[in-house]
Amino acid sequence: MKFMKFGTKPDTFYTQEASRILITDTPNDLVIRINNTTYHLHRSCLVPKCGLLRRLCTDSEESDTVTIELNDIPGGADAFELCAKFCYDITINLSAHNLVNALCASKFLRMSDSVDKGNLLPKLEAFFHSCILQGWKDSIVTLQSTTKLPEWCENLGIVRKCIDSIVEKILTPTSEVSWSHTYTRPGYAKRQHHSVPRDWWTEDISDLDLDLFRCVITAARSTFTLPPQLIGEALHVYTCRWLPYFKSNSHSGFSVKENEAALERHRRLVNTVVNMIPADKGSVSEGFLLRLVSIASYVRASLTTKTELIRKSGLQLEEATLEDLLLPSHSSSHLHRYDTDLVATVLESFLMLWRRQSSAHLSSNNTQLLHSIRKVAKLIDSYLQAVAQDVHMPVSKFVSLSEAVPDIARQSHDRLYKAINIFLKVHPEISKEEKKRLCRSLDCQKLSAQVRAHAVKNERMPLRTVVQALFFDQESSSKGASSRSESQELFTRGKETPTDEHSMMHKLHLGPASTGKAKNVLEEGCKRGEEKTRSSTDPKKIVWKGTGSEHKHHISRDR
């Protein structure tokens, strides 16, 4: 950082009670009061350089001690003391940290060249333009210091000049970036990059006050030079910097009691950041959006903010990972660990958009839309597997989320079966009716042969599901055997032979009737069977037989 030194004499100010006194042989004839601090000084040193003091001391006699109150001086007593030391030629050091106070105070005291040649104000302005604005971190530190004197800094143009300097450097090609900057991303140093990363500037500007940060980002975006992803990265870095629980993946991250002032500060941050997110899809990650949705609820952000976040999250849901969805529940009324309501809301937003797009492209190629919803379905099923391990997870929430996924989205129900099986294992106390509800969305016909075999032997599953799994398992096996038999027959006879439906049904042990009818009869039998003791049932003993147009279904059991 840049420094500027004025004066040659040692500092001889000392404090006595609430007074600041200069060690000198000359009697004091000027008393300056600034709030609770009193300075005992000399008119001969200050009046020639300070136009304000010269005007205030005009009517006083030279032999009189003049007392002046300067309670409204910008920067307070510290800024005034810097100016007073300059008048006494006492050594002072100026940098980006104290320049703004000194600049505003010297302007207030009218320490210009018109009052005295080589005065403080023009020296500070020269230092500001030639050194501070040329530096990267100097410009940021100076801009941040303007928050204490916003009106003065706006009127003097300090804020605008600092922002312009910062934006100019942000837009500089990375090959020309030569100034020092902070970049502490994990793994970056290990890769030993020789080039400057495109987001090199994001960490340094995250030190700014929220309003100043917004001004810098707005000014940078107005140039239409930065890609939306860079703007999004800057928002992500800033949010991580100022929201203490943003990176927390644990439930305890939301259990810290905060006072209303802190919540208001975080609420304002969330509202502001959301308004700054570029409209371009992918400008920020789905994980960032989902975590913002969760935090928005926690800090009671505005309804507009939460609605917009849910819309953006739904738009990019297919880009989410399982870890992104595992957001902690921070409601005091919920015992379960994960916020399934939030995931369900975002999923509904995604489905609304998907249905609208599907209707608009009804006659065109919907391959991309189908790929998108199937990807989301796999994600939701993986999420169900994770939340099923929570012993406090209600059946109703699990079922609601599993049934929210459209049938077309699941090519296979293997993942859903695994989630249900985990839930039944972790919650052995649930009733038979709740087990039925859990398995209501499970289609055994979409289970793989291996998973169906597991379901048939799974004692945790309701009887109806076991029987359905056995039905489709036997049907699949019969079809496979029939197909192999027909292929062999065609090969030996050397010509195509029409397939007899009665013969096929006999091979499936189902008879000539339709499979759908057989399944309905089976389900009616299951309703009666479930009223009996489950322990006496062995699904392996179920045998299907059919003769003529009449079909009888015998379920033999080990006695």
Side-chain angles (χ1 to χ4, degrees):
M1 298 187 70
K2 302 294 191 305
F3 294 89
M4 188 173 186
K5 182 178 179 180
F6 294 114
T8 58
K9 297 179 181 178
D11 187 356
T12 54
F13 272 93
Y14 70 96
T15 302
Q16 183 176 340
E17 295 181 353
S19 298
R20 293 284 286 167
I21 303 172
L22 183 68
I23 299 177
T24 178
D25 295 333
T26 307
N28 302 321
D29 58 359
L30 178 63
V31 177
I32 303 294
R33 291 177 179 171
I34 303 175
N35 298 319
N36 297 324
T37 304
T38 301
Y39 287 89
H40 298 273
L41 306 170
H42 305 84
R43 279 186 286 177
S44 59
C45 293
L46 272 72
V47 170
K49 294 183 179 297
C50 302
L52 177 64
L53 297 182
R54 180 183 297 181
R55 182 176 64 81
L56 295 175
C57 294
T58 301
D59 299 332
S60 61
E61 298 293 334
E62 293 185 2
S63 59
D64 296 339
T65 298
V66 180
T67 300
I68 300 174
E69 291 193 2
L70 298 177
N71 294 326
D72 53 348
I73 184 172
D78 292 338
F80 172 78
E81 188 166 319
L82 283 174
C83 297
K85 287 180 178 179
F86 174 81
C87 296
Y88 283 101
D89 196 31
I90 293 174
T91 301
I92 57 175
N93 292 301
L94 292 171
S95 67
H97 293 282
N98 59 3
L99 174 65
V100 169
N101 285 346
L103 196 57
C104 295
S106 62
K107 184 71 175 179
F108 177 85
L109 294 172
R110 301 176 190 173
M111 301 178 71
S112 62
D113 266 345
S114 61
V115 176
D116 186 56
K117 189 175 181 180
N119 217 338
L120 179 60
L121 180 58
K123 290 181 182 293
L124 294 178
E125 290 176 339
F127 176 59
F128 175 62
H129 288 94
S130 62
C131 295
I132 297 297
L133 294 181
Q134 302 308 310
W136 167 248
K137 291 192 175 182
D138 292 287
S139 298
I140 293 175
V141 172
T142 301
L143 178 61
Q144 178 58 28
S145 66
T146 62
T147 56
K148 298 178 181 179
L149 301 168
E151 293 184 7
W152 274 90
C153 293
E154 285 287 351
N155 294 334
L156 293 177
I158 298 175
V159 173
R160 174 47 50 194
K161 290 174 182 177
C162 286
I163 291 176
D164 289 344
S165 173
I166 292 170
V167 172
E168 180 184 2
K169 292 174 177 59
I170 289 175
L171 300 179
T172 301
T174 55
S175 60
E176 300 176 15
V177 174
S178 58
W179 43 82
S180 174
H181 58 272
T182 304
Y183 197 82
T184 58
R185 306 302 167 81
Y188 178 78
K190 295 179 181 179
R191 295 196 297 267
Q192 296 181 349
H193 283 257
H194 297 289
S195 61
V196 176
R198 292 196 311 163
D199 58 342
W200 62 268
W201 48 274
T202 55
E203 287 189 46
D204 285 325
I205 68 168
S206 68
D207 290 334
L208 292 171
D209 174 82
L210 180 60
D211 289 330
L212 294 175
F213 173 80
R214 178 178 53 81
C215 289
V216 170
I217 294 297
T218 302
R221 290 182 65 180
S222 66
T223 65
F224 300 101
T225 304
L226 291 179
Q229 291 75 15
L230 268 183
I231 299 296
E233 180 63 16
L235 296 176
H236 179 266
V237 171
Y238 191 86
T239 305
C240 291
R241 168 75 170 79
W242 292 104
L243 284 181
Y245 33 68
F246 187 81
K247 293 183 178 180
S248 174
N249 290 322
S250 64
H251 179 70
S252 59
F254 291 98
S255 62
V256 180
K257 293 183 179 179
E258 297 195 46
N259 55 43
E260 187 58 35
L263 284 176
E264 173 60 30
R265 186 169 62 253
H266 296 156
R267 184 183 307 124
R268 181 168 170 267
L269 189 152
V270 171
N271 290 334
T272 302
V273 167
V274 172
N275 289 332
M276 294 168 64
I277 296 177
D280 308 72
K281 182 179 178 181
S283 58
V284 293
S285 68
E286 177 68 1
F288 175 74
L289 290 172
L290 289 171
R291 190 155 287 278
L292 269 184
V293 176
S294 180
I295 293 176
S297 300
Y298 175 62
V299 301
R300 300 192 295 275
S302 68
L303 179 61
T304 302
T305 295
K306 289 188 283 189
T307 302
E308 180 64 11
L309 274 174
I310 291 171
R311 186 190 70 82
K312 288 180 177 292
S313 300
L315 191 65
Q316 298 180 204
L317 183 57
E318 62 180 296
E319 301 172 9
T321 64
L322 175 59
E323 185 179 0
D324 294 334
L325 296 183
L326 295 177
L327 299 166
S329 174
H330 43 82
S331 173
S332 57
S333 60
H334 296 162
L335 295 176
H336 51 274
R337 181 179 181 185
Y338 298 109
D339 195 346
T340 53
D341 292 337
L342 185 153
V343 175
T345 303
V346 174
L347 175 61
E348 180 58 31
S349 177
F350 167 82
L351 292 175
M352 288 177 60
L353 177 64
W354 182 82
R355 294 186 186 106
R356 190 159 58 244
Q357 291 176 335
S358 298
S359 300
H361 299 83
L362 191 60
S363 59
S364 61
N365 187 0
N366 284 342
T367 303
Q368 183 60 38
L369 290 174
L370 190 58
H371 172 76
S372 173
I373 197 169
R374 285 178 173 174
K375 187 175 180 180
V376 169
K378 290 179 181 179
L379 177 66
I380 295 300
D381 286 347
S382 297
Y383 178 73
L384 288 171
Q385 293 173 22
V387 300
Q389 301 176 45
D390 182 4
V391 294
H392 298 295
M393 178 58 57
V395 173
S396 58
K397 291 187 179 294
F398 185 93
V399 171
S400 176
L401 190 56
S402 66
E403 293 182 346
V405 179
D407 293 337
I408 193 176
R410 290 187 174 109
Q411 285 181 293
S412 168
H413 278 218
D414 287 2
R415 290 184 176 84
L416 178 59
Y417 172 83
K418 182 177 180 181
I420 294 173
N421 187 44
I422 293 173
F423 194 97
L424 292 173
K425 184 177 181 180
V426 176
H427 305 80
E429 74 288 350
I430 65 174
S431 65
K432 289 183 179 180
E433 289 301 319
E434 288 176 320
K435 287 184 178 182
K436 291 180 183 179
R437 290 177 60 194
L438 277 174
C439 298
R440 193 165 54 193
S441 58
L442 184 64
D443 186 351
C444 294
Q445 194 170 5
K446 289 187 176 183
L447 295 177
S448 64
Q450 182 180 3
V451 174
R452 271 201 303 267
H454 185 279
V456 168
K457 302 175 184 179
N458 193 342
E459 296 181 355
R460 286 187 286 269
M461 288 288 168
L463 180 59
R464 177 181 298 182
T465 303
V466 172
V467 174
Q468 287 177 354
L470 182 60
F471 170 82
F472 289 115
D473 189 54
Q474 187 176 22
E475 182 185 56
S476 177
S477 300
S478 300
K479 284 183 178 180
S482 175
S483 177
R484 289 192 299 271
S485 176
E486 289 178 5
S487 298
Q488 181 64 27
E489 184 178 0
L490 287 173
F491 178 76
T492 56
R493 297 174 64 178
K495 60 181 180 179
E496 182 178 359
T497 302
T499 302
D500 181 74
E501 182 180 0
H502 178 80
S503 176
M504 284 293 294
M505 291 299 115
H506 181 71
K507 292 175 182 179
L508 290 172
H509 304 290
L510 293 173
S514 66
T515 301
K517 183 178 180 181
K519 182 180 177 182
N520 291 335
V521 175
L522 168 68
E523 290 180 345
E524 291 176 4
C526 289
K527 292 179 182 179
R528 295 190 297 267
E530 285 180 302
E531 297 174 357
K532 298 181 180 181
T533 305
R534 172 68 183 276
S535 60
S536 63
T537 301
D538 185 356
K540 294 181 179 180
K541 298 295 183 179
I542 298 177
V543 179
W544 299 85
K545 296 182 180 180
T547 58
S549 61
E550 297 179 0
H551 311 283
K552 298 180 180 180
H553 305 276
H554 302 281
I555 302 178
S556 60
R557 307 184 178 197
D558 290 339
R559 299 296 181 182

